[in-house]
Amino acid sequence: MQYKSQAVAKPYFIAAIALFVGQILFGLIMGYQYVVGDFLFPAIPFNVARMVHTNLLIVWLLFGFMGAAYYLIPEETETELYSPKLALITFWVFLAAGALTIVGYLMVPYATLAAMTGNDLLPTMGREFLEQPLPTKLGIVVVALSLLFNISMTVLKGRKTSISLVLLLGLWGLAVFFLFSFYNSHNLVLDKYFWWWTVHLWVEGVWELILGAMLAFVLIKITGVDREVIEKWLYVIIAMTLITGIIGTGHHYFWIGTPDYWQWFGSVFSALEPIPFFMMTVFAFNMVNRRRREHPNKAATLWALGTGVMAFLGAGVWGFLHTLAPVNYYTHGSQITAAHGHMAFYGAYVMVNLTMISYAMPMLRGRTANSGPAQTMEMWSFWLMTVSIVFITLFLTAAGILQIWLQRMGTNPMGFMDAQDQVRLFYWLREIAGFVFLTGLVLYIWSFFCKKGEAVKA
Amino acid sequence: MSETFTKAMARNIFYGGAVFFFLLFLGLTFDSMKALPKRDHRENITESVTRGKLIWETRNCVGCHTILGEGAYFAPELGNVYKRRGGDNGGAEFIKAWIQSQPTGVPGRRQMPQFHLNDQQLEDMVQFLKWTSEVNTGTWPPNIEG
Ligand code: HEM
Ligand code: HEM
Ligand SMILES: [Fe+2]
C-alpha cells in the first residue's frame, strides 16, 4: 500500500464478502423452493428470497466497485484521497441503508413496506432488481454522489491516467443511469422501456468500463507490462462495448410492445456484444504472457485470467445463445435467461471484484502477497466456485431447453407448472452445485485466516 | 496491437463511437415513442388499470411471475393469463377466484401467498392484466401457455 488513504478500501471489501455470503444463502433457499415448493412458506415466500438474493448481489458488487475505486484512485493519481473521512462515513451510511432494506424485506410484508416508505409519493418499487424502497434508492444516489465527489476531486488534484478516467466515467455512468429507476410510468410498456436503461445500460454498458479499468489496473500491477499498451487495449475494449452495447439494448425490445424494427437493431448489435468480452480474454492472457515480472500473488493472476474467460463465456457465449430475435422468441423469460444471468454476473462482475480483492487485500494487510498455503487455498476456492457456476449454468440450460420444448413448441404444449415438474431433476442438480459453490465461498473466506507459511513481505 | 495504432486513436474511437451510438439510440427511442401508442393501446389505460399496476408492484408479483417475459421464472407468465383463462368469457372470474383462494397448501407444491385484496383491488388487478394481454407484443408468447 503506497498511500495511507487507500486503507478505506478495506471495510468496503470486507462488507462486500459478507453480503456475498448472504446472497448465496438466499440463492440456496430459492433453489430448494424450486423443488420443494412450500419450503419456508409463508415465512419467506420465493419473491422475498429473490429480492434478497439479487439486491444483495447488486449491493455487494457496488461495495466492491467503491472499494476498488478508493484503492485504485490514489495509486493511479499518485496522491492521497481527497477525503478518507467522507469515504468512511459513506461506507457506514451505505451499509446501514443496505442492512435496513434487507431487514425490511424479511420482516414486513412488501405492501406494508411500500406504504411505510412513501411509495405513494413516487411509485418506484416492485420492479425486478429495483425493488428498493424510495429512501433506499435516494440513499444509493447520495452514496454515489459522495463517492463521485471524493474520487473526482482526487483525480482533479492528481495525475490523470486513462485508467482513472475510464473508471470515473464508468462510475458517473452508473450514477446517471440509476436515475432511470425513479421513472415509472403507469404504462407498463414505457415502464419496461426505461427500466432497461438502468439494467441493460449498467451491465452491458457503463459497468463494463468499471470492469475494464479494474482489470487493467491489476494487470499493470501483476505483469509490469507498459502502461501505454494496457491503456490502449482498455480504450479499444470499452469502445467496442459502447458501440455494440448501447443499441444492443434492443435485444430487450423484441416482445414488450416496442416496434418490430428492434428485432433487427437488437439482434445485429447485440450479436456483436461478445467482441469486447472476447477482447478482454485475449487482453488478460496476452498481458500475462508478456509479463515483465513474476509477481508473487499467483492467486490474483488466476482471478484476472478467470475473469477474462468466464466473462466471455457467461456474457459473450451464453448471451449470444439467446440474443437473436428468432431464438429469443422461444427462450425469452425461460430458465435459459437465468442460466445466462448467473454465469454473466459471476464471470464478469463477481470475478473482477474478487480479482481486485485478491490483489489489494494482502497489500491492505501490509504484505505483497499471502503465504503459499493461503494462496493455494484461495485458488482451490476459485476452482470450486467457478466450476460450480459452470455446472449451475449447464443444469439451468438443460432445464431451459426442456422447458421450451415442452411448453413452447409442438402442437400440444404443456402448462407451465406441468413442464416445471418434468425438469425437477435439473433443479435438484443445480441445488447440489449450489452447495459446492457455498463450500468454495467458505474456503475463500477461510483463506484470509490461513496462518500456515510466511506471507511475502511488502 | 501495432505501433501505428496509438492510444490516442483508440481513445478517439471510444469517445466518437460512444457519442454517435448514444445519439442514434436517442433517435430510435424518439421514433419508438411516436410509434408506441398504436401498439400499447394507451387509450385503454383507465384509472382502474393504473391502480392495478400499483397493486401488481406493491405485492411484488414480478418476484415469482414473468410479465411479457420479464421477471422471475418460478411461476406462470401472466402477460397473457387473462386470455389463457378464458378472455372475456371467464378470464376475470378465474383471476379473481385464483387470487382469493391462495395459497393452495398442496404439500410440496410451489405456493403463492394470500394478499387479502378487496373486491375493488381484485377488479383493478384484472383490468391491469386484461390491458396487458392486449399489448401488441409481436405474437409473443409462442402459444397460450406463455
Ligand atoms: C456481464 C454482462 C452481462 C450480464 C451481467 C448480463 C445479465 C443478464 C441478466 C441478469 C438478464 C436477465 C434480466 C431479467 O431478469 O429480465 C439478462 C438478459 C439477457 N441478456 Fe444478458 N448479461 C450480460 C451480457 C449480455 C450479452 C453480451 C448479451 C448478448 C450477446 C446478453 C444477452 C441477453 C439477452 C438476449 C437477455 C434477455 C433474455 C430474455 O429474453 O429473457 N447479455 N442478462
Ligand atoms: C450458488 C448458488 C445459487 C443458487 C442456488 C441461486 C439460485 C437462484 C434462483 C433460484 C434464482 C431465481 C430464478 C427465478 O427467477 O426463478 C436466482 C436468480 C438470480 N441469481 Fe442466483 N443463485 C446462486 C448463486 C448466484 C450467484 C453466485 C450469482 C451472481 C453471480 C447469482 C445471481 C443471480 C441473478 C442475477 C439472478 C436474477 C436472474 C434473472 O433474472 O435472470 N446467483 N438465483
Ligand atoms: Fe442486455
Side-chain angles (χ1 to χ4, degrees):
Chain A
M1 199 171 74
Q2 301 169 11
Y3 296 89
K4 268 207 322 287
S5 53
Q6 284 178 294
V8 297
K10 198 171 172 183
Y12 281 89
F13 291 150
I14 294 171
I17 296 168
L19 299 178
F20 186 16
V21 177
Q23 183 215 333
I24 297 310
L25 293 178
F26 279 86
L28 290 171
I29 291 178
M30 277 193 291
Y32 199 62
Q33 286 175 333
Y34 247 82
V35 276
V36 181
D38 53 0
F39 178 60
L40 291 182
F41 187 87
I44 307 181
F46 180 86
N47 63 315
V48 173
R50 194 182 200 275
M51 282 193 285
V52 175
H53 181 64
T54 56
N55 290 16
L56 278 176
L57 167 69
I58 295 167
V59 169
W60 88 254
L61 294 179
L62 293 179
F63 266 112
F65 291 160
M66 294 199 269
Y70 290 129
Y71 184 86
L72 171 164
I73 287 290
E75 230 168 275
E76 282 290 299
T77 56
E78 298 182 333
T79 171
E80 294 288 350
L81 210 56
Y82 178 76
S83 169
K85 201 162 165 194
L86 180 63
L88 270 182
I89 296 172
T90 312
F91 169 78
W92 288 108
V93 170
F94 196 32
L95 191 63
L100 270 173
T101 306
I102 301 299
V103 169
Y105 291 160
L106 289 168
M107 307 301 284
V108 190
Y110 194 68
T112 317
L113 186 65
M116 278 164 49
T117 55
N119 191 56
D120 286 339
L121 298 174
L122 181 68
T124 64
M125 292 171 70
R127 297 170 306 143
E128 196 193 357
F129 303 125
L130 304 182
E131 296 93 348
Q132 309 82 19
L134 191 57
T136 309
K137 286 203 180 79
L138 292 170
I140 294 176
V141 173
V142 171
V143 166
L145 286 178
S146 154
L147 167 90
L148 286 169
F149 170 71
N150 215 343
I151 299 287
S152 302
M153 292 306 279
T154 314
V155 172
L156 281 178
K157 76 182 164 95
R159 181 176 70 144
K160 289 155 196 68
T161 66
S162 301
I163 289 182
S164 50
L165 240 55
V166 171
L167 180 69
L168 201 56
L169 262 176
L171 292 170
W172 272 102
L174 183 154
V176 168
F177 287 108
F178 183 68
L179 296 180
F180 286 93
S181 72
F182 292 95
Y183 171 82
N184 180 13
S185 173
H186 58 253
N187 181 339
L188 181 71
V189 178
L190 288 176
D191 165 8
K192 284 175 177 292
Y193 192 97
F194 291 104
W195 179 84
W196 284 113
W197 286 40
T198 300
V199 178
H200 171 98
L201 290 177
W202 263 13
V203 301
E204 289 156 73
V206 292
W207 282 28
E208 276 183 61
L209 271 57
I210 302 173
L211 163 67
M214 285 166 68
L215 199 59
F217 174 81
V218 174
L219 285 173
I220 287 188
K221 299 290 160 180
I222 56 181
T223 66
V225 170
D226 191 20
R227 175 180 288 276
E228 279 298 300
V229 176
I230 290 200
E231 291 185 337
K232 182 161 63 173
W233 270 94
L234 176 60
Y235 272 126
V236 175
I237 289 171
I238 61 173
M240 286 315 294
T241 297
L242 296 187
I243 288 171
T244 61
I246 296 175
I247 307 289
T249 315
H251 64 187
H252 304 294
Y253 295 163
F254 296 158
W255 329 112
I256 60 166
T258 29
D260 293 332
Y261 58 68
W262 281 111
Q263 294 178 26
W264 285 100
F265 280 103
S267 298
V268 170
F269 279 87
S270 69
L272 301 174
E273 280 184 50
I275 294 173
F277 285 101
F278 183 66
M279 292 175 72
M280 248 180 259
T281 318
V282 178
F283 171 51
F285 276 88
N286 225 326
M287 296 306 116
V288 171
N289 285 338
R290 287 161 62 175
R291 67 187 174 276
R292 298 235 192 109
R293 69 159 83 103
E294 292 299 328
H295 197 281
N297 195 339
K298 299 286 175 241
T301 314
L302 180 64
W303 281 111
L305 292 175
T307 307
V309 174
M310 294 302 293
F312 173 63
L313 274 181
V317 177
W318 254 262
F320 182 77
L321 215 64
H322 63 160
T323 208
L324 300 175
V327 178
N328 191 262
Y329 185 68
Y330 291 100
T331 60
H332 184 46
S334 68
Q335 295 300 323
I336 301 286
T337 311
H340 155 70
H342 278 87
M343 192 142 68
F345 256 109
Y346 176 81
Y349 300 116
V350 170
M351 288 186 87
V352 80
N353 270 316
L354 297 186
T355 302
M356 190 73 200
I357 294 174
S358 179
Y359 172 75
M361 208 53 170
M363 302 279 187
L364 290 166
R365 299 168 83 192
R367 44 183 100 146
T368 302
N370 290 325
S371 70
Q375 285 196 42
T376 305
M377 212 183 227
E378 189 182 339
M379 291 198 263
W380 267 97
S381 78
F382 167 98
W383 286 110
L384 279 173
M385 286 193 276
T386 305
V387 171
S388 320
I389 216 78
V390 168
F391 275 98
I392 288 176
T393 306
L394 290 173
F395 293 143
L396 288 178
T397 305
I401 292 171
L402 267 170
Q403 176 191 17
I404 291 162
W405 178 254
L406 295 170
Q407 188 193 319
R408 291 184 174 169
M409 321 263 285
T411 43
N412 240 328
M414 231 180 232
F416 177 94
M417 293 299 280
D418 292 336
Q420 292 298 302
D421 269 343
Q422 298 297 312
V423 299
R424 291 170 67 84
L425 171 65
F426 293 104
Y427 294 141
W428 275 117
L429 294 171
R430 181 264 300 268
E431 184 70 350
I432 294 168
F435 273 101
V436 179
F437 190 100
L438 180 67
T439 315
L441 181 55
V442 169
L443 194 65
Y444 175 73
I445 294 169
W446 202 340
S447 77
F448 286 87
F449 301 98
C450 174
K451 294 251 169 5
K452 282 200 217 102
E454 288 275 318
V456 184
K457 294 222 173 52
Chain B
M1 265 180 271
S2 85
E3 300 296 318
T4 46
F5 183 73
T6 63
K7 186 171 103 182
M9 289 156 82
R11 188 190 52 213
N12 293 343
I13 296 176
F14 165 67
Y15 283 115
V19 169
F20 178 81
F21 283 99
F22 194 71
L23 289 176
L24 178 59
F25 188 51
L26 286 181
L28 288 168
T29 297
F30 185 72
D31 185 77
S32 294
M33 291 304 126
K34 281 198 309 192
L36 274 182
K38 279 215 184 67
R39 300 180 60 107
D40 60 26
H41 301 290
R42 58 189 65 176
E43 69 278 6
N44 296 336
I45 302 183
T46 58
E47 284 185 9
S48 179
V49 172
T50 302
R51 285 195 303 268
K53 181 166 186 275
L54 198 62
I55 298 166
W56 171 268
E57 286 165 3
T58 51
R59 271 63 177 182
N60 192 228
C61 309
V62 84
C64 293
H65 292 277
T66 48
I67 184 158
L68 305 188
E70 293 169 4
Y73 321 114
F74 184 71
E77 159 73 25
L78 294 186
N80 66 344
V81 68
Y82 181 81
K83 292 189 172 159
R84 176 160 65 246
R85 297 304 170 187
D88 291 340
N89 300 311
E93 292 70 26
F94 174 89
I95 293 169
K96 289 182 187 175
W98 176 274
I99 294 174
Q100 281 180 307
S101 62
Q102 297 307 304
T104 58
V106 177
R109 193 174 170 90
R110 295 182 191 172
Q111 297 295 308
M112 167 166 156
Q114 173 53 248
F115 292 106
H116 305 286
L117 301 184
N118 62 32
D119 288 348
Q120 180 65 52
Q121 290 172 316
L122 286 168
E123 177 60 25
D124 294 342
M125 199 67 244
V126 166
Q127 289 305 320
F128 170 65
L129 292 173
K130 176 174 188 290
W131 171 80
T132 306
S133 75
E134 288 158 5
V135 170
N136 178 351
T137 56
T139 75
W140 195 89
N143 66 53
I144 199 68
E145 296 300 343

